[in-house]
């Protein structure tokens, strides 16, 4: 065993060396973490903060960084490791593993897609997760990733960065609202219809942001061999219905004065296009009588009647008193810095500019939003709650600490792994459960995301996946693994919502209590099942109980818990049944659902 | 009032969250700062009036052709080969695909002048379920959620909102108002049947409770309490004799065959059983109405399944004295074009379409509104989605102006605008 520990340590050491070489320009992790603790709690309080034990810490940090709990073997190995630096090395090892990117790509998929207005948005999920996981694992900087998302083009089945535009069918207002919410943390979309009641944002400012995105087209690719293939592209040519078909022109052409334009009358006139294709004539002939009246020609709408004005290369702010009118043309200006670009710029110029303005180090909200979001996800406390409603009109907790961390993050070159390493290195992150403490020192168990829970469930049951069927509740979420999909259906929530507002549900409880698939896997008579293997490996009940606790909850049972389980076994008609029931109870416990 | 899928215990240490507190009472009463004794009394009186009201939504996914169902135009180019037949109400004719519905027409009101602007399936389905068009900033709750929020019985052992097949969820109202889904009507829903004996299940639950108490003592008390409340409800559900409502095998074979041995037929029968057992809102889904090709054959096939089930549901509810308090609505997301395309199909047509309503607060035996001779437009009395929703709420004694507070603190009415179509009400 010594040999293997040494090998592991050696690998850790190499990884640490590599990581620190890469981050040479970044502020030092440990110094930054110490300073944060001090700014938030004060030196003395930070130093006296009770730190959680190795087993719980390892489970916590594994769930946070790689989305699955530590295995019993990993917990044991970690506990036996005498190195004083072992937590630091473990964090670096986790950030270097591919599971890191996979975990956070799923976090971002939920964050973006659970707010999608496009009901088919799930189609892009696998592509997005793959792209995002790769970007995160290569540790591309946050500004690079955001720039890719804001400037993406291509098929949603090939280019994962198209996620945001596809999620909102390229609609400028929705994209603007989401880009602001996700990347600056500021909810500006209330200003869509009216000046914001309690924020400073004006209606014009929201529409000036939307004006960065009017030239994005999201269309179904009919040539694709896949049934649902959509393409995000730039559309710099005005494709609105032809304007200027005036009644005057129609009267001139209408030789027999029946207020109907026949094919013959349209010949050699600009209106001959109406008869060029069957499809166009059918669309214009709205009453289906086979004839094109003045009214039909003047009122002809683009094919998709859901989006009047679609196809325009400019953004128009609707006139609220006259919603069917064109509204006022608005040119792109970024509301946080008043930076603008020349009117009439093409799509890529607009989107590149939007990305540049949003990710500009001068825009403090870009760094603050991600720093606050990551801090909240890891520590269960936040400078701003909810994480997607921040901005100059919201008071922050520990403003100084937030600014310090945001500045350091900018200095690191928007390095996400660096940011997570800093947060995981604070004493606050490592604190023990402290339900009665105040402020950031308090530590309460928080509900896991569905993907984390699925990983815990699979690991506890000793399987790679669960062959569960959809509960039939929601539309396809795009998740391919059926078990992961079913668990997401029951347990999924928008990660931007504060955990304290996420509630449990009956379908969740039923899935854990009564799923025949889970019941089959807790079978203690099957020698290949987790319980069967435990039974074969250990002699005493106490050891078997301890192994079950380690497997399901990642810790040893307390004396009292051991007592409860032991007496339960004594009362059970059958010992193996009794062990199965303990297994069942642990899987159905509150503790199983939470990170702590 | 009314919760079902979860208890209302909040997990937060500070107790109530701002959002929930605001949701508890109507926004307008809060704004005025007046929610006095009188309001509470009025609330109670309203509660009595609403007692036992329920709604069954028969959802025709894909958009059924009005020409082949409720608004036939025989002898016109738009009408195609579909014939019209007489109904039990003189003067009202419907398509020959719906002979059984024709027999119960005295209880049915048809709207032939529905109109909307949403011509894509997902958007139109969203609007016809929530009354709102999709917006990224807020996920609107479906009608099933807002209705159960107001009418649901908090003491019911069964969930108050059941969906047979998938549907829109509760949006920002939260998982407690989400539908409880049944994938296969007639059988117990997923994970409801016990996987062990009742005795052993009871032992497991007691063990869980003992272990939970220990975890609660380590400081996770609010979380454990909320978890236990949900487990309490779930346990009551799985052990309740009421879950038999989900199992239709004890229905008489003759009645079962009247509903039809189809997924939709079983769904309708299940809907009746659930309403009988106090469920507030049931949605039953029929797919495949999107007839861009072979419209006439395919609509006839769909109708052959849906017509007997719908008519039997109305008659069966009536026989049991349930129709008076149960509103049945038959609709899809939009209608279909007057133009028959080269593939003998009809395309999407939201500009004018039809739907049917029966029971609970609706005066049957009438047609409301009309389409033009060619069926391309509304002839008179256009009905918007908001008009429809406001009328449904009124029929059920649900307050359409009740305001729920969106996560960003914006008050949103159950129905935003619209006018009650009082001619439809009984």
């Amino acid at each position: 065993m010594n040999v293997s520990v040494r090998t592991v340590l050696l690998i850790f050491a190499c990884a640490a060396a590599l990581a620190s070489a890469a981050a040479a320009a970044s502020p030092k992790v440990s110094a930054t973490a110490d300073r944060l603790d001090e700014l938030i709690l004060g030196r003395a309080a930070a130093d006296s903060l009770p730190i959680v034990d190795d087993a719980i810490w390892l489970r916590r940090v594994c769930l946070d960084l790689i989305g699955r709990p530590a295995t019993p073997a990993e917990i044991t190995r970690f506990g036996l490791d005498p190195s004083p630096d072992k937590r630091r090395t473990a964090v670096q090892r986790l950030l270097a593993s591919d599971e890191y990117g996979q975990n956070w790509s799923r976090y971002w998929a939920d964050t973006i897609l659970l707010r999608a207005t496009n009901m088919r948005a799930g189609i892009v999920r696998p592509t997005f997760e793959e792209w995002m996981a790769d970007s995160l694992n290569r540790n591309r900087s946050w500004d690079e990733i955001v720039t890719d998302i804001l400037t993406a083009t291509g098929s949603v089945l090939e280019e994962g960065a198209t996620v945001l535009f596809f999620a909102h069918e390229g609609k400028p207002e929705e994209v603007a609202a989401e880009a602001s919410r996700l990347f600056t943390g500021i909810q500006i979309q209330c200003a869509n219809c009216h000046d914001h009641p309690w924020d400073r944002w004006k209606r014009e400012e929201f529409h000036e942001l939307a004006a960065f995105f009017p030239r994005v087209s999201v269309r179904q690719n009919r040539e694709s061999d896949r049934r649902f293939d959509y393409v995000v592209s730039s559309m710099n040519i005005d494709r609105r219905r032809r304007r200027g078909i005036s009644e005057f022109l129609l009267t001139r052409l209408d030789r027999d004065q029946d207020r109907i334009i026949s094919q013959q009358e349209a010949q050699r006139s600009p209106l001959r296009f109406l008869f060029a294709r069957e499809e166009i004539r059918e669309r214009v002939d709205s009453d289906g009588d086979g004839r094109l009246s003045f009214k039909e020609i003047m009122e002809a709408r683009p094919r998709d009647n859901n989006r009047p004005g679609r196809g325009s290369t400019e953004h128009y702010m609707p006139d609220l008193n006259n919603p069917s009118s064109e509204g006022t043309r608005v040119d792109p200006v970024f509301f946080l810095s008043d930076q603008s670009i020349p009117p009439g710029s093409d799509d890529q110029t607009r989107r590149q500019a939007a990305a540049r303005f949003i990710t500009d180090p001068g825009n403090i909200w870009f760094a603050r939003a991600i720093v606050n979001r990551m801090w909240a996800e890891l520590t269960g406390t936040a400078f701003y709650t909810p994480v997607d409603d921040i901005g100059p009109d919201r008071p922050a907790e520990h403003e100084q600490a937030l600014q310090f961390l945001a500045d350091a993050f900018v200095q690191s070159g928007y390095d996400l792994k660096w940011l997570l390493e800093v947060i995981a290195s604070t004493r606050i992150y490592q604190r023990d459960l402290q339900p009665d403490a105040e402020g950031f020192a308090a530590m309460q168990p928080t509900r896991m995301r569905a993907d984390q829970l699925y990983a815990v469930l699979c690991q506890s049951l000793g399987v790679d996946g669960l062959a569960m069927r959809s509960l039939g509740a929601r539309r396809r979420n795009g998740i391919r693994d059926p078990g992961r999909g079913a668990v997401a259906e029951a347990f999924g929530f928008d990660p931007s919502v504060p955990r304290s507002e996420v509630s449990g549900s009956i379908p969740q409880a039923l899935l854990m209590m009564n799923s025949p698939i889970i019941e089959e896997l807790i079978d203690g008579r099957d020698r290949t099942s987790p319980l069967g293997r435990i039974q074969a490996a250990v002699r005493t009940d106490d050891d078997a109980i301890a192994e079950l606790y380690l497997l399901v909850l990642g810790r040893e049972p307390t004396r009292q818990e051991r007592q409860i389980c032991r007496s339960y076994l004594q009362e059970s008609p059958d010992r193996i049944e009794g062990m199965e029931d303990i297994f069942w109870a642990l899987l159905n416990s509150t503790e199983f659902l939470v990170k702590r | 009032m009314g919760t079902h899928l979860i208890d209302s215990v909040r997990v937060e240490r500070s107790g109530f969250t701002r959002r929930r507190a605001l949701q508890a009472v109507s926004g307008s009463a809060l704004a005025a700062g007046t929610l006095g004794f009188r309001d509470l009394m009025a609330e109670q009186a309203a509660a009595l009036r609403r007692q036992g009201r329920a709604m069954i939504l028969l959802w025709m996914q894909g958009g059924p052709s009005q020409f082949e169902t409720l608004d036939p135009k025989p002898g016109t180019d738009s009408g195609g080969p579909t014939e019209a037949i007489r109904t039990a109400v003189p003067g009202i004719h419907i398509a020959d695909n719906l002979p059984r519905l024709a027999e119960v027409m005295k209880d049915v009101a048809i709207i032939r002048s529905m109109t909307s602007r949403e011509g894509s399936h997902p958007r139109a389905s969203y609007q016809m379920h929530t009354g709102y068009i999709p917006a990224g900033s807020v996920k609107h709750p479906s009608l099933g959620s807002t209705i159960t929020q107001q009418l649901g019985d908090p003491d019911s052992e069964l969930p108050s909102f059941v969906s047979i097949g998938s549907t829109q969820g509760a949006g920002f109202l939260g998982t407690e108002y989400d539908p409880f889904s049944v994938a296969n009507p007639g059988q117990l829903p997923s994970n409801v049947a016990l996987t062990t004996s009742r005795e052993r299940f009871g032992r497991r639950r007691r063990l869980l409770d003992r272990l939970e108490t220990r975890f609660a003592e380590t400081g996770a008390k609010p979380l454990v309490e909320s978890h236990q409340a949900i487990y309490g409800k779930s346990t009551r559900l799985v052990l309740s004799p009421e879950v038999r409502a989900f199992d239709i095998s004890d229905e008489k074979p003759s009645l079962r065959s009247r509903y039809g041995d189809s997924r939709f037929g079983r769904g309708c029968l299940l809907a009746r059983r659930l309403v009988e057992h106090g469920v507030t809102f049931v949605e039953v889904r029929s797919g495949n109405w999107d007839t861009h090709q072979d419209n006439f054959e395919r609509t006839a096939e769909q109708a052959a399944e849906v017509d007997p089930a719908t008519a039997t549901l109305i008659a069966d509810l009536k026989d049991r004295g349930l129709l008076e308090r149960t509103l049945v609505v038959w609709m899809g997301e939009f209608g279909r074009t007057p133009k028959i395309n080269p593939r003998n199909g009809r395309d999407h047509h939201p500009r004018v379409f039809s739907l049917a309503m029966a029971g609970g607060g609706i005066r049957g035996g009438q047609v409301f509104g009309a389409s033009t001779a060619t069926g391309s437009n509304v002839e008179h009395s256009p009905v918007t989605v908001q008009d429809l929703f406001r009328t449904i709420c009124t029929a059920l004694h649900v307050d359409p102006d009740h305001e729920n507070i969106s996560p960003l603190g914006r008050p949103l009415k159950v129905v935003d605008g619209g006018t009650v179509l009082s001619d439809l009400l009984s």
Side-chain angles (χ1 to χ4, degrees):
Chain A
M1 192 194 73
N2 275 333
V3 177
S4 69
V5 168
R6 240 176 261 137
T7 319
V8 171
L9 286 175
L10 192 66
I11 293 167
F12 284 5
C14 294
L18 281 174
S20 58
S26 306
K28 274 190 71 106
V29 168
S30 56
T32 312
D34 282 351
R35 180 74 184 134
L36 269 177
D37 283 328
E38 192 177 345
L39 284 171
I40 292 170
L41 297 178
R43 188 72 270 158
D47 287 344
S48 62
L49 199 63
I51 296 297
V52 75
D53 70 46
D54 279 350
I56 295 180
W57 179 84
L58 189 65
R59 182 183 170 91
R60 184 189 291 174
V61 77
C62 282
L63 284 169
D64 278 333
L65 298 185
I66 62 170
R68 66 159 175 88
T71 62
E74 285 169 326
I75 294 172
T76 312
R77 201 160 54 210
F78 187 74
L80 294 173
D81 182 350
S83 154
D85 239 13
K86 66 180 175 182
R87 290 196 180 186
R88 195 174 143 220
T89 15
V91 167
Q92 288 169 347
R93 177 177 53 91
L94 295 174
L95 289 172
S97 101
D98 280 353
E99 290 171 289
Y100 155 74
Q102 185 191 58
N103 171 43
W104 287 94
S105 73
R106 292 171 173 184
Y107 169 91
W108 285 107
D110 284 353
T111 302
I112 297 171
L113 293 175
L114 291 180
R115 293 284 191 105
T117 41
N118 180 355
M119 313 289 158
R120 294 192 175 122
I123 297 168
V124 73
R125 182 187 277 266
T127 334
F128 170 72
E129 285 180 0
E130 195 182 317
W131 172 80
M132 191 69 178
D134 177 65
S135 298
L136 292 168
N137 283 333
R138 290 197 284 128
N139 204 22
R140 299 182 61 213
S141 60
W142 181 232
D143 58 326
E144 253 179 70
I145 292 174
V146 170
T147 299
D148 273 9
I149 290 176
L150 290 173
T151 58
T153 56
S155 158
V156 302
L157 300 178
E158 286 158 17
E159 301 293 335
T162 55
V163 65
L164 182 62
F165 288 96
F166 184 58
H168 299 282
E169 297 174 275
K171 280 176 282 184
E173 279 108 345
E174 302 293 353
V175 169
E178 283 294 275
S180 178
R181 182 182 76 86
L182 292 164
F183 305 135
T184 73
I186 294 173
Q187 304 247 9
I188 190 181
Q189 76 279 0
C190 292
N192 186 348
C193 313
H194 51 78
D195 288 348
H196 211 293
W198 54 75
D199 282 340
R200 62 188 68 198
W201 319 120
K202 297 276 171 269
R203 226 184 131 224
E204 282 75 12
E205 295 182 292
F206 171 73
H207 288 281
E208 285 166 351
L209 181 62
F212 283 95
F213 309 109
R215 299 188 176 204
V216 184
S217 146
V218 178
R219 277 164 195 278
Q220 188 159 14
N221 179 4
R222 301 205 177 270
E223 268 118 66
S224 173
D225 49 359
R226 303 278 293 273
R227 183 161 170 226
F228 291 115
D229 186 359
Y230 293 80
V231 176
V232 175
S233 59
S234 296
M235 184 198 61
N236 290 309
I237 301 162
D238 194 307
R239 294 214 188 138
R240 276 174 298 179
R241 73 188 152 96
R242 316 217 170 206
R243 285 190 293 156
I245 302 182
S246 64
E247 191 154 1
F248 176 74
L249 171 67
L250 293 171
T251 318
R252 290 272 305 272
L253 293 174
D254 181 24
R255 264 167 274 145
D256 57 3
Q257 299 190 352
D258 61 352
R259 295 185 69 78
I260 300 282
I261 299 294
S262 66
Q263 186 161 4
Q264 209 177 10
E265 285 167 344
Q267 255 176 14
R268 283 190 295 277
S269 85
L271 291 193
R272 63 182 180 277
F273 80 93
L274 289 173
F275 298 90
R277 290 217 315 269
E278 175 89 352
E279 184 205 358
I280 299 174
R281 202 181 63 200
E282 276 183 19
R283 194 161 78 226
V284 175
D285 179 18
S286 52
D287 65 3
D289 67 351
R291 305 185 304 170
L292 303 186
S293 68
F294 278 23
K295 191 161 173 278
E296 285 170 337
I297 294 171
M298 289 191 297
E299 288 180 355
R301 289 196 168 276
R303 184 181 198 80
D304 184 349
N305 65 1
N306 297 317
R307 291 162 56 189
R310 178 188 179 183
S312 165
T313 49
E314 296 299 337
H315 181 67
Y316 291 83
M317 180 167 75
D319 176 352
L320 296 176
N321 295 320
N322 184 8
S324 59
S325 71
E326 187 175 54
T328 319
R329 175 171 157 175
V330 178
D331 291 311
V333 183
F334 184 52
F335 68 108
L336 286 169
S337 61
D338 288 336
Q339 287 163 289
S340 62
I341 49 169
S345 296
D346 67 20
D347 177 53
Q348 277 301 320
T349 306
R350 287 178 199 235
R351 293 206 269 153
Q352 294 283 355
R356 212 166 51 242
F357 300 157
I358 286 175
T359 62
D360 189 312
N363 170 20
I364 62 166
W365 299 106
F366 179 62
R368 285 184 157 225
I370 184 75
V371 159
N372 181 53
R373 189 179 268 279
M374 294 295 108
W375 178 272
E377 190 63 22
L378 262 66
T379 69
T381 60
F383 303 103
Y384 294 101
T385 307
V387 296
D388 58 0
D389 191 12
I390 76 177
D393 297 306
R394 303 279 181 280
E397 305 233 12
H398 304 293
E399 166 67 37
Q400 218 190 334
L402 171 63
Q403 193 53 48
F404 168 74
L405 183 56
D407 286 345
F409 178 62
V410 175
Q411 230 184 315
S412 79
Y414 297 126
D415 181 337
L416 291 170
K417 288 193 184 185
W418 174 89
L419 175 63
L420 291 171
E421 194 185 339
V422 166
I423 297 172
S425 305
T426 58
R427 287 181 70 86
I428 292 175
Y429 178 73
Q430 301 177 61
R431 71 204 186 282
D432 203 352
L433 276 187
Q434 289 208 99
D436 301 323
E438 292 295 319
F440 278 34
M443 171 77 192
Q444 281 204 306
T446 50
R447 191 175 276 276
M448 284 187 281
R449 287 182 290 111
D451 286 321
Q452 294 167 320
L453 182 68
Y454 183 58
V456 180
L457 189 57
C458 286
Q459 188 174 302
S460 304
L461 296 170
V463 290
D464 292 331
L466 295 168
M468 285 179 176
R469 281 203 316 223
S470 160
L471 306 173
R474 306 214 177 127
R475 80 179 53 82
R476 281 186 295 262
N477 51 25
I479 297 176
R480 284 178 185 156
D481 172 349
R484 193 188 147 209
V487 170
E489 209 180 286
F491 287 90
F493 56 82
D494 175 354
S496 301
V497 172
R499 291 297 191 275
S500 58
E501 290 190 19
V502 177
S503 43
S505 72
I506 289 183
Q508 292 175 2
L510 294 179
L511 187 146
M512 296 304 298
M513 291 195 314
N514 276 344
S515 160
I517 290 163
I518 295 178
E519 183 67 28
E520 203 173 296
L521 291 167
I522 64 175
D523 185 352
R525 288 187 168 80
D526 177 352
R527 291 170 145 262
T528 62
S529 75
L531 186 55
R533 284 195 298 258
I534 289 175
Q535 308 263 43
V538 301
R539 296 233 178 79
T540 67
D541 286 351
D542 273 9
D543 284 351
I545 293 165
E547 287 295 330
L548 265 183
Y549 264 82
L550 203 57
L551 176 69
V552 182
L553 300 178
R555 64 173 175 88
E556 300 257 344
T558 62
R559 206 165 51 85
Q560 200 190 347
E561 285 166 336
R562 205 186 301 265
Q563 196 79 52
I564 295 171
C565 293
R566 213 188 284 141
S567 69
Y568 184 82
L569 282 181
Q570 276 158 13
E571 292 156 21
S572 293
D574 176 292
R575 190 182 155 279
I576 294 182
E577 266 194 18
M579 289 300 298
E580 289 170 355
D581 294 349
I582 292 170
F583 199 175
W584 182 95
L586 296 182
L587 288 172
N588 280 278
S589 64
T590 311
E591 189 174 352
F592 183 74
L593 298 178
V594 300
K595 185 188 93 181
R596 49 175 217 284
Chain B
M1 59 177 293
T3 69
H4 5 86
L5 288 191
I6 79 147
D7 73 315
S8 46
V9 180
R10 305 308 314 157
V11 185
E12 206 170 63
R13 277 190 310 153
S14 52
F16 245 45
T17 61
R18 176 191 59 155
R19 170 155 77 98
R20 300 293 163 160
L22 287 173
Q23 275 172 4
V25 274
S26 96
S28 52
L30 258 190
T34 55
L35 192 79
F37 181 68
R38 258 186 46 211
D39 303 281
L40 291 174
M41 290 308 286
E43 277 282 299
Q44 280 196 352
L48 277 176
R49 217 170 34 240
R50 299 189 291 234
Q51 217 163 45
R53 297 245 162 209
M55 172 165 165
I56 298 173
L57 171 59
L58 304 178
W59 181 254
M60 304 299 120
Q61 189 261 322
S65 165
Q66 67 278 26
F67 298 99
E68 276 63 59
T69 55
L70 298 170
D71 193 9
K73 306 270 183 196
T76 68
D77 284 353
S78 322
T82 305
E83 299 290 336
I85 54 168
R86 289 166 195 271
T87 66
V89 178
I92 299 182
H93 293 76
I94 59 176
D96 55 0
N97 290 316
L98 303 174
R100 302 287 310 283
L101 192 69
E103 294 167 14
V104 294
M105 190 50 66
K106 285 197 171 118
D107 293 309
V108 177
I110 296 175
I111 299 179
R112 284 185 177 153
S113 51
M114 278 304 301
T115 181
S116 88
R117 291 167 53 89
E118 299 299 336
S120 86
H121 295 292
R123 292 178 59 88
S125 303
Y126 185 96
Q127 192 193 15
M128 290 296 276
H129 275 89
T130 64
Y132 287 84
I133 54 173
S137 52
V138 55
K139 285 259 174 270
H140 301 96
S142 72
L143 191 62
S145 304
T146 45
I147 283 177
T148 41
Q149 183 195 24
Q150 291 193 41
L151 297 185
D153 172 7
D155 298 326
S156 168
E157 289 177 347
L158 295 180
S160 294
F161 176 10
V162 176
S163 167
I164 299 160
S166 63
T167 185
Q168 294 286 330
F172 70 77
L173 281 188
T175 45
E176 60 200 279
Y177 296 108
D178 263 337
F180 183 85
S181 292
V182 178
N184 295 302
Q187 298 167 9
L188 276 186
S190 307
N191 307 326
V192 166
L194 289 180
T195 49
T196 60
S197 67
R198 289 173 84 89
E199 220 184 348
R200 188 167 172 206
F201 179 75
R203 281 204 303 275
R204 285 178 170 187
R205 287 287 284 110
R206 284 191 296 279
L207 172 64
L208 175 61
D209 285 346
R210 289 181 68 190
L211 293 172
E212 287 285 78
T213 317
R214 217 282 318 166
F215 185 57
E217 284 160 8
T218 68
K221 202 168 171 208
L223 211 53
V224 171
E225 278 171 357
S226 136
H227 188 73
Q228 284 189 319
I230 290 158
Y231 267 66
K233 287 199 166 186
S234 309
T235 302
R236 277 211 307 284
L237 169 68
V238 299
L239 297 179
S240 167
E242 300 274 301
V243 295
R244 278 207 327 260
F246 286 104
D247 177 6
I248 60 173
S249 59
D250 60 352
E251 292 284 342
K252 274 194 232 136
S254 59
L255 185 64
R256 289 180 65 166
S257 73
R258 273 172 65 205
Y259 274 96
D261 185 27
S262 64
R263 198 183 135 81
F264 186 75
R266 286 188 294 274
C268 285
L269 176 52
L270 174 56
R272 188 222 81 210
R273 289 177 65 93
L274 292 173
V275 165
E276 221 170 12
H277 282 77
V279 172
T280 301
F281 194 102
V282 186
E283 175 169 340
V284 191
R285 194 161 267 238
S286 163
N288 271 325
W289 291 89
D290 194 18
T291 50
H292 290 286
Q293 284 181 44
D294 307 324
N295 167 67
F296 302 99
E297 297 76 8
R298 286 180 52 200
T299 306
E301 273 169 37
Q302 287 299 113
E305 191 176 302
V306 166
D307 176 51
T310 307
T312 307
L313 174 65
I314 293 168
D316 195 12
L317 286 168
K318 196 173 184 182
D319 287 349
R320 289 161 200 264
L322 294 170
L323 191 60
E324 256 174 65
R325 63 172 182 87
T326 308
L327 173 63
V328 180
V329 177
W330 184 102
M331 67 184 188
E333 58 264 46
F334 38 57
R336 307 204 76 86
T337 47
K339 173 100 189 161
I340 298 158
N341 70 26
R343 297 175 307 283
N344 227 14
R346 295 188 192 269
D347 302 319
H348 304 176
H349 196 64
R351 200 182 305 156
V352 58
F353 58 107
S354 304
L355 59 80
M357 303 166 96
I362 294 295
R363 186 161 57 82
Q366 61 166 328
V367 172
F368 186 94
S371 58
T372 52
T374 56
S376 65
N377 275 303
V378 172
E379 175 75 38
H380 65 81
S381 321
V383 180
T384 64
V385 179
Q386 288 92 331
D387 297 336
L388 173 71
F389 273 44
R390 191 159 280 270
T391 306
I392 289 174
C393 286
T394 309
L396 290 169
H397 300 282
V398 162
D399 177 8
D401 292 316
H402 173 82
E403 286 179 343
N404 288 302
I405 307 295
S406 83
L408 282 181
R410 182 171 157 213
L412 281 169
K413 291 183 173 174
V414 171
V415 186
D416 187 21
T419 316
V420 177
L421 310 168
S422 40
D423 285 356
L424 279 171
L425 301 176
S426 56

